[in-house]
Structures are given as structure tokens and as C-alpha cells.
Amino acid sequence: MQKHRLRIVYMGTPDFAVLPLKKIVEAGFEVVGVVTNPDKPAGRGQKVQESAVKKYAIEQGLPLLQPEKFRDEAFLQSLAAWKADLQLVVAFKMLPEVVWAMPPLGTVNLHASLLPDYRGAAPINWAVMNGEKCSGVSTFLLSHEIDTGKVIFQKEVALREDMTAGDLHDLLMEEGADLLLKTVEAIERNDYPLVEQACLLNGRKPKMAPKIFKEDMKIDWTAGVETVYNHIRGLSPYPAAWTELVHKETGELLTVKITSVRKMMESVEGIPGEIYTNGRVWEVYAADGRIRLEEVQLSGKKRMKTEDCLRGFRLEEYRIKM
């Protein structure tokens, strides 16, 4: 195996960040330490969970830090003691300058979009929600403003019309792992481009990808079928688009998460938000057609195929709260 001279610190937390780390390790680079989020309780039982990156780091015997605060003096001393030449960041928190400026070669971030578009916390979701035909991954050097540093490499991918955020996540995880390895190899050779993002914008404003909140996930049935369809697949399987049902007699409210749908584009007449069902299918009118729900999750229930849900659920007793 090739002998590499770089000392690397890797920072990341979720599944998306594991494969890039694995590629770096398997390529023979010296990962002198890993930084990931602190363990935290999750799920109904609030059992303490370790991050995906932590689990991999432990398997590989890599030194590990899990700071509560990045400006904590003990953390900064431990990070400095690793004497990294380069830091790599994948799907992690925003870092203060005292951290990202520490290594002499800087800190490289892998971002799941073609920068400068879709800067922010949820680039995968927003790209699909906005009906983009292509997306990609970028590596860039961290700077003061989030996701604005000089771009090193990019890889574009095409988006299928039926692709969900989950599908794109998995594709970009693979492409991103390869791109990050390519970036590290280029930095080691001292042969890599640095492109100002302003040059890529050509005077236009970038599309943004802010953090997604609950109200962003609510379905607007007054929009067109294409918009509703993109909204749902852009939030599938997580965090999931939702709508709210109202019981026609009791007024009881019931939240429904929707993770899979089909467009029914034939000419139909109906009021946006109106439900159509024959006991086997569940469709909802949008502005210019109907959306057929194929996978749903009623509040307090598990996710299931719509036909299975309708076997024990009296949908005709409900209407959609607009």
C-alpha cells in the first residue's frame, strides 16, 4: 500500500459521513483522530445512541473526541495534540475559526450539492423538493461564512423523476466518498484548483437549502400536482411530508405522514384537498390533478402501504384540514 505523509483529522456524525471516512482509511491515509457528536438518547425508549461515525471509528481503533462545545479549552488542546496537516468535515456542525483554521492545509468540507447552489443544512431535500434535474457533490475549503469557501472539486449527477431524497442521499454518499478521496490525494500532491464561488455564480444569487422545520414539511394541496409530488419525494423517507385530517363529526385531528405517491395527471375536477377513495385507493386533489398516496403513516402507527392502512381505517369519515 502507498505510504502517505498527511496526518488527517476527520469530523462527521451520520451514516453519510461513514463511507468517506472508510475510503480515506482504506486508501492508507493516516487518520490521527475522529471528532463526532456526543452520544445522546433517541427513540421512544430514549436509549443512548452512538453516532454512525463513532461506531466505525471504534471498530478501526481510531482516537475519538466528542466535544460538547468546540471552544472548550480541553477539546482544543486535544485536537491540537493530534498535529493534523488537514481536517476533513462531512455532515457535521458549523465549526468556529479556531477549529477550522488549526491545520496548516486547512479544513476541507464535503457538501451534498453543486456549490454555490444549495448552501445550508438540507441540500439533498431542497434539490428534490425544487424539482432539480441534476445535483452533485462539492469539496471546498472552509471559511468564515457557511458553505462559501473556495471550491476544489465537484461531481454532477442526474436526478431521475421518481428519485426521493433517500435515493439521492445514497447516490451522493457514494459519489462524495470518491470525490473526497480524490481531493485528499490532490492536496497531498499539492496539485488542486481553488475556485472562488463568486466566479461560479456569474452575478446571480445562489439557491439556498436552509434547515427544514415542521411547517416546511406540510403539504400545500392548492399547488399543482408536480409541486406536491416533488415536495413529498423531497422529504421521503425522512423527515416526511405531512397533512392533517379532521374527523367530520368529532373534529378530532389526525396527522398523516406521506412518503410515497404517484401522479395522476388526467383531467379531473375537484377542490384542492378533497379526498377520493373507493376503499382501496386514497387520492387527494391538487390544483391540476390528483395525487395517489401509496405509503402513509398515521399518527401513532407504523408506516404502511395505503391499501393495508385502508383495511382498518375509515377514511370516508375524515377530510383534510386546509
Side-chain angles (χ1 to χ4, degrees):
M1 182 179 291
Q2 180 183 352
K3 180 67 175 177
H4 296 285
R5 60 179 175 78
L6 290 183
R7 293 174 60 85
I8 295 172
V9 166
Y10 188 92
M11 302 183 181
T13 293
D15 289 328
F16 189 88
V18 174
L19 185 59
L21 173 57
K22 186 172 184 285
K23 292 262 182 154
I24 298 296
V25 169
E26 291 181 350
F29 283 96
E30 184 180 8
V31 178
V32 296
V34 172
V35 182
T36 191
N37 281 356
D39 301 344
K40 62 180 181 180
R44 291 185 179 180
Q46 290 294 284
K47 184 179 179 181
V48 175
Q49 300 287 325
E50 297 176 335
S51 77
V53 165
K54 178 181 178 179
K55 291 175 182 176
Y56 178 79
I58 290 173
E59 287 174 6
Q60 299 299 312
L62 300 174
L64 188 70
L65 290 174
Q66 295 179 270
E68 292 285 350
K69 296 180 180 179
F70 293 128
R71 297 183 189 275
D72 179 78
E73 194 58 37
F75 164 67
L76 292 174
Q77 289 177 5
S78 297
L79 184 62
W82 282 339
K83 298 180 180 178
D85 301 303
L86 177 69
Q87 291 176 160
L88 305 176
V89 178
V90 181
F92 201 44
K93 298 174 181 176
M94 189 172 177
L95 300 173
E97 183 176 2
V98 68
V99 173
W100 58 256
M102 187 177 291
L105 293 175
T107 297
V108 170
N109 185 206
L110 171 66
H111 188 70
S113 82
L114 296 174
L115 290 171
D117 283 325
Y118 295 108
R119 296 169 177 165
I124 293 175
N125 298 102
W126 284 109
V128 180
M129 289 165 70
N130 289 342
E132 297 288 358
K133 303 302 181 186
C134 69
S135 181
V137 281
S138 306
T139 53
F140 69 99
L141 283 175
L142 287 187
S143 61
H144 291 91
E145 299 297 325
I146 187 168
D147 298 335
T148 60
K150 294 179 180 178
V151 172
I152 304 172
F153 294 125
Q154 295 186 315
K155 176 64 183 294
E156 182 177 312
V157 301
L159 271 66
R160 302 188 317 271
E161 187 189 8
D162 63 344
M163 185 175 278
T164 66
D167 297 330
L168 182 57
H169 169 281
D170 294 348
L171 175 59
L172 295 186
M173 180 174 64
E174 295 279 349
E175 297 290 352
D178 291 338
L179 193 72
L180 188 61
L181 177 57
K182 174 184 176 181
T183 301
V184 173
E185 291 171 341
I187 289 174
E188 185 177 50
R189 296 192 307 269
N190 194 29
D191 180 19
Y192 57 99
L194 288 173
V195 181
E196 294 282 0
Q197 290 193 32
C199 298
L200 300 172
L201 280 170
N202 295 318
R204 67 178 177 85
K205 290 186 177 180
K207 301 172 186 177
M208 303 302 288
K211 183 177 180 180
I212 293 174
F213 295 96
K214 183 178 179 181
E215 281 306 306
D216 298 317
M217 295 145 52
K218 186 178 181 181
I219 299 168
D220 177 9
W221 296 107
T222 65
V225 164
E226 196 71 34
T227 298
V228 174
Y229 176 72
N230 291 341
H231 182 86
I232 292 169
R233 67 189 180 95
L235 293 166
S236 175
Y238 181 83
W242 62 274
T243 194
E244 204 166 31
L245 300 180
V246 184
H247 195 279
K248 294 175 182 177
E249 292 187 4
T250 67
E252 173 195 7
L253 296 178
L254 181 66
T255 299
V256 183
K257 291 183 178 180
I258 303 169
T259 50
S260 181
V261 295
R262 192 193 325 167
K263 293 182 290 185
M264 313 296 289
M265 294 298 294
E266 70 271 14
S267 179
V268 293
E269 292 184 6
I271 301 169
E274 182 182 353
I275 294 172
Y276 167 80
T277 183
N278 60 9
R280 297 185 305 277
V281 301
W282 179 349
E283 297 178 354
V284 181
Y285 285 90
D288 55 358
R290 291 200 299 251
I291 292 285
R292 177 170 293 182
L293 282 54
E294 298 195 324
E295 187 177 68
V296 298
Q297 183 177 5
L298 303 182
S299 182
K301 304 290 184 180
K302 66 179 182 180
R303 187 177 299 172
M304 64 182 73
K305 296 293 184 183
T306 302
E307 58 191 80
D308 296 329
C309 173
L310 292 178
R311 289 194 183 102
F313 180 62
R314 300 183 66 84
L315 179 59
E316 64 275 8
E317 296 180 359
Y318 291 83
R319 61 177 176 82
I320 286 180
K321 182 181 178 184
M322 298 292 286

